[in-house]
Amino acid sequence: MSLVSWGKLRIFAKDLETPGASWFEIPTPVEDSTGMETTKGDKMEAKVEGGENEDTMYKRSAYALNFNVRLLKNRRNKPFPDTDGIVEHKYAVAVQPEDERCVGIMIDKATISANTTFSSADGIIVEYTADALKPDDGTRQVKYGTVTATGSGSTLDVTFVEDTDDSSEE
């Protein structure tokens, strides 16, 4: 049993703009390619004479989930169709750690972009970025909790239970 959300993870996505769309599983990402970047929100300062701050405030942070998928002959196509890197539609994206009891990630609404690269060492790699958007219900852009996947193929269902316990044990 792990304590840390690491290892061979699973990524799931659902098209939010296609009625009746089902969750689907992204092929296992290229090793060590999955990560989430946080861009800290801009700092606003209320300065007084002399340059001291009378008050400060930060705008909200921005989040981007990045992962790479290798294309394989007759076995693996792009999970998100794109035209020159632009992926149509908005998607929900969930990340389940190898130990599904560990904390996972849920992005309720994201814009996906693709960047295709090639090298003789790695073949064709598609680098995906899921930029988190403010969800329609106005909650946080990125949520942390338990991601559970049941079924497979067209019967795949992904559920999420947010971790609301802010206490910590040491």
Side-chain angles (χ1 to χ4, degrees), residues 47-52:
K47 299 259 186 204
V48 294
E49 287 296 331
E52 295 143 337

Side-chain angles (χ1 to χ4, degrees), residues 62-120:
Y63 305 90
L65 176 70
N66 301 295
F67 56 94
N68 297 349
V69 174
R70 181 177 287 111
L71 302 186
L72 299 176
K73 178 181 174 182
N74 299 324
R75 291 187 24 213
R76 186 178 302 148
N77 295 318
K78 292 181 177 183
F80 302 99
D82 72 278
T83 303
D84 296 329
I86 297 173
V87 175
E88 297 291 328
H89 298 197
K90 306 291 187 241
Y91 287 83
V93 181
V95 179
Q96 181 186 60
E98 183 171 352
D99 183 341
E100 62 188 52
R101 296 167 296 184
C102 288
V103 178
I105 297 170
M106 174 61 82
I107 300 173
D108 289 328
K109 187 177 184 182
T111 298
I112 309 283
S113 63
N115 183 42
T116 304
T117 64
F118 169 79
S119 75
S120 59

